[in-house]
Amino acid sequence: MEPSAKRSEELRSHQWYGAPGLRSFSHRARTRQLGYLPEEHLGKPVIAVLNTWSDINPCHVHLRDRAQAVKRGVWQAGGFPLEFPVATLSETFQKPTPMLYRNLLAMETEELLRSYPVDGAVLLGGCDKSTPALLMGAASVDLPAVFVPAGPMLPGHWRKEVLGSGTDMWKYWDDHRAGLIGDCQLAELESGLARSPGHCMTMGTASTLTAAAEALGMTMPGASSIPAVDSGHDRMAAAAGLRIVGLVREDLKPSQILTRDAFEDAVTTVLGLGGSTNAVIHLIALAGRCGVRLTLDDFDRIARTVPVLANVRPGGGPYLMEDFHFAGGLPGFLSRIPDLLHLERPTVAHTTLREQLDGALVHDDDVIRTREKPLSAEGGVAVLRGNLCPDGAVIKHITADPELLVHTGPAVVFDDYRTLQRTINDPALGITADSVLVLRGSGPKGGPGMPEYGMLPLPDHLLKQGVRDMVRISDARMSGTSYGTCVLHIAPESHVGGPLALVRTGDPITLDVPARSLRLDVPDGELERRRAAWTPPPERYERGYGALYQEQITQADTGCDFAFLARPGQVPDPYAG
């Protein structure tokens, strides 16, 4: 794709630097204060490098170096790079959940790009919420942009075992609770689960969403699976820096890339990878920012057409993201389903997706399966409906015990996660393997922020009997590295009076994944009596960002965006003179 001859005075940054008058004189003088010569920046595309690096985000700890590679590419292409620190959303450490702050980073991204003399942006992220947040902000301001994924960490190791972050953490923690491994082994596991910079190397939320970003056309080809510490990751970052300058000169914006066709292909990709349920919420939110109405029904419709081909934990196994990368990465994966894609749409790197996938190959048919040998004939996530979730719920059924996909059992209800943690082992609850564990108060408002509580812990006594899965239902999310028969994203949530608020311990609940159904088997009249007696819980926040959040947050089925950000409308560029 050859860059057009866009003139310097047509650049957005020209309003700051090139216009006559006192303000432009001041802007140039202050740029001299920064130590830059006029010939280093005047008349050149100004590229913002948005960096989510921090000392407490292990997924992004290498992005300080990658920003330098991006800048190198920008300089070589004739642009002028400026690095901006933005909020770091560390999935590991930020409480109550970084999901509470996804929209804050999206706001920061949008307003930073709008308010500074910026012509285009390179977005550095990868930890779960940073990918959708950066893309949501960039889409809203609609300046040329390229996303640079942080990349997966190296595989974990413990004795002879290859470990997957998150997935094996849950497994071995349950083994410890069941008495199968001791404290010494657990201490060894602490040092082996995560052994390099980068996000989770399973097909968790981070890898799912960076793959979605690549499928949308917002990254360099193959970028989403390059291991974080591989030298190829540095080269990819430099290539993104080179490419963004061309995008600015061509004036190719996210609005031209993030189309309805692109979102359908991203959904196809997520489902075919056996990816994280969190992608449902984030893609719906991102699509909304682009004026595309993406719904749970779209996910359910597409899920019935796409097979699961990625044999990667936790949806398949035994492979990890480094295996996926060297088996062909996302280009190889997409080359197996071209008939399910919209191949004539543009990407940041090529005129069409068809051109981008030309020559893509799969090098290992066990890591990326053929259509004749899928892990599942249908996509890895199912959308459920019923009187317990009138606005929908989701389940990652490929990680569930097949015997539980059709199940009726008595509810055991927990009103909040702290209570669950404190009482799950109480014999008085009478929990059996047939029980249905129900957690409420953990949705977008109730959580707050919809924490990843959805893989509810099983009682110790059942773990010691060898039970490793039960039906679990909540208005929470769960980590993309989690697994089990976990029904998630119940909408509306209990905090706003959804039917989940009406469930009582002992009520029979029926899950029927083949029928896409989730029902509370209680007469309608009884539910109406309970509803009349229900009172809403008090709001958590009286001031600050939390108050804005609880006022504006939407429900899971519409993406958990802020209502004032999701609605259509124009925002003018600032006057720079």
Side-chain angles (χ1 to χ4, degrees):
M1 192 181 291
E2 291 295 327
S4 61
K6 188 171 185 178
R7 295 176 299 167
S8 297
E9 55 268 29
E10 295 176 310
L11 295 171
R12 183 174 180 271
S13 57
H14 180 78
Q15 301 172 55
W16 276 261
Y17 287 119
L22 172 63
R23 289 299 178 189
S24 291
F25 170 74
S26 172
H27 297 150
R28 293 191 299 270
R30 291 299 188 174
T31 307
R32 303 300 160 267
Q33 181 185 8
L34 291 168
Y36 294 111
L37 295 166
E39 52 268 37
E40 289 187 86
H41 74 98
L42 287 179
K44 295 181 178 181
V46 178
I47 305 301
V49 182
L50 270 57
N51 196 348
T52 54
W53 169 90
S54 82
D55 272 333
I56 199 167
N57 192 336
C59 306
H60 295 178
V61 72
H62 58 304
L63 292 186
R64 176 183 274 179
D65 294 332
R66 295 302 175 269
Q68 298 308 309
V70 171
K71 291 183 196 178
R72 189 174 80 229
V74 172
W75 285 119
Q76 290 173 6
F80 178 59
L82 294 171
E83 185 176 354
F84 292 81
V86 291
T88 186
L89 306 183
S90 175
E91 198 65 34
T92 306
F93 293 104
Q94 194 169 29
K95 306 297 179 187
T97 167
M99 184 63 178
L100 188 69
Y101 302 105
R102 183 201 68 181
N103 297 340
L104 184 63
L105 175 54
M107 291 169 63
E108 182 182 18
T109 299
E110 177 181 351
E111 298 306 327
L112 185 151
L113 294 178
R114 179 175 287 116
S115 60
Y116 280 98
V118 168
D119 299 301
V122 178
L123 316 168
L124 277 67
C127 195
D128 297 11
K129 312 307 177 294
S130 62
T131 298
L134 291 166
L135 290 173
M136 287 163 69
S140 293
V141 77
D142 203 25
L143 292 178
V146 179
F147 182 73
V148 171
M153 68 177 90
L154 295 176
H157 281 279
W158 176 62
R159 299 185 177 180
K160 292 184 178 181
E161 299 291 327
V162 176
L163 303 177
S165 57
T167 301
D168 281 308
M169 176 185 73
W170 314 119
K171 174 184 180 296
Y172 283 109
W173 185 254
D174 281 353
D175 282 353
H176 180 255
R177 291 174 61 212
L180 300 178
I181 63 172
D183 292 341
C184 292
Q185 292 98 320
L186 206 64
E188 292 175 17
L189 281 158
E190 285 184 14
S191 298
L193 270 170
R195 45 185 283 268
S196 81
H199 58 66
C200 291
M201 77 305 253
T202 49
M203 189 59 74
T205 304
S207 290
T208 300
L209 287 171
T210 55
E214 183 176 337
L216 285 166
M218 291 299 295
T219 77
M220 301 308 292
S224 62
S225 62
I226 304 173
V229 296
D230 193 299
S231 63
H233 197 268
D234 222 34
R235 296 192 297 272
M236 177 271 294
L242 282 161
R243 182 65 192 122
I244 187 59
V245 177
L247 291 174
V248 169
R249 296 201 181 280
E250 297 159 25
D251 202 26
L252 184 60
K253 299 176 180 178
S255 57
Q256 298 162 267
I257 294 169
L258 298 176
T259 61
R260 174 79 195 185
D261 287 351
F263 280 103
E264 290 200 353
D265 288 352
V267 172
T268 298
T269 298
V270 166
L271 295 169
L273 290 172
S276 169
T277 50
N278 288 306
V280 178
I281 291 176
H282 297 310
L283 284 175
I284 288 174
L286 177 56
R289 294 294 188 96
C290 301
V292 174
R293 186 172 183 272
L294 192 67
T295 69
L296 290 178
D297 290 338
D298 292 312
F299 279 84
D300 194 52
R301 170 179 56 83
I302 294 172
R304 298 172 189 269
T305 68
V306 58
V308 178
L309 302 182
N311 194 12
V312 179
R313 299 182 222 179
Y319 299 107
L320 297 171
M321 286 305 298
E322 187 169 7
D323 305 304
F324 180 79
H325 177 67
F326 290 113
L330 198 70
F333 170 83
L334 294 179
S335 75
R336 295 239 144 129
I337 53 171
D339 54 307
L340 303 179
L341 304 173
H342 301 86
L343 296 173
E344 304 310 320
R345 60 183 178 86
T347 71
V348 295
H350 289 89
T351 305
T352 66
L353 179 62
R354 182 186 302 278
E355 179 185 327
Q356 182 158 311
L357 296 181
D358 184 39
L361 297 171
V362 174
H363 310 295
D364 190 326
D365 288 342
D366 195 39
V367 179
I368 302 175
R369 294 288 185 86
T370 64
R371 297 279 282 272
E372 294 71 34
K373 294 183 65 178
L375 277 83
S376 171
E378 291 189 353
V381 175
V383 175
L384 307 176
R385 302 279 184 179
N387 69 343
L388 195 49
C389 53
D391 291 338
V394 299
I395 182 172
K396 190 172 180 179
H397 57 92
I398 60 168
T399 69
D401 182 339
E403 294 186 0
L404 293 174
L405 295 179
V406 177
H407 179 82
T408 298
V412 179
V413 181
F414 301 90
D415 285 322
D416 59 78
Y417 194 66
R418 291 184 187 182
T419 301
L420 182 150
Q421 288 178 305
R422 188 177 67 251
T423 63
I424 189 66
N425 291 315
D426 185 349
L429 294 177
I431 299 174
T432 71
D434 289 329
S435 299
V436 176
L437 302 181
V438 175
L439 173 67
R440 57 189 173 210
S442 299
K445 279 195 172 186
M450 211 177 177
E452 293 183 340
Y453 295 159
M455 187 182 173
L456 310 185
L458 276 55
D460 286 355
H461 74 274
L462 292 181
L463 290 172
K464 290 174 181 176
Q465 294 171 23
V467 176
R468 284 296 183 272
D469 197 7
M470 294 175 64
V471 175
R472 289 160 276 182
I473 296 173
S474 73
D475 47 14
R477 298 175 301 111
M478 77 175 184
S479 168
T481 66
S482 299
Y483 50 87
T485 312
C486 302
V487 178
L488 312 160
H489 309 181
I490 296 281
E493 64 174 308
S494 61
H495 192 87
V496 299
L500 196 66
L502 310 180
V503 184
R504 295 179 180 175
T505 293
D507 288 346
I509 292 175
T510 297
L511 169 67
D512 188 337
V513 174
R516 299 298 195 263
S517 173
L518 179 69
R519 289 198 55 82
L520 176 62
D521 298 323
V522 172
D524 292 343
E526 171 62 19
L527 292 179
E528 286 305 315
R529 285 189 288 274
R530 294 181 190 180
R531 183 173 299 283
W534 181 80
T535 56
E539 299 288 11
R540 292 176 175 270
Y541 297 98
E542 295 183 356
R543 59 162 303 280
Y545 174 75
L548 173 68
Y549 176 92
Q550 67 191 15
E551 174 189 302
Q552 291 289 326
I553 195 66
T554 63
Q555 288 293 295
D557 61 303
T558 55
C560 297
D561 202 355
F562 286 167
F564 76 94
L565 294 174
R567 68 184 180 223
Q570 297 298 313
V571 180
D573 249 4
Y575 176 58

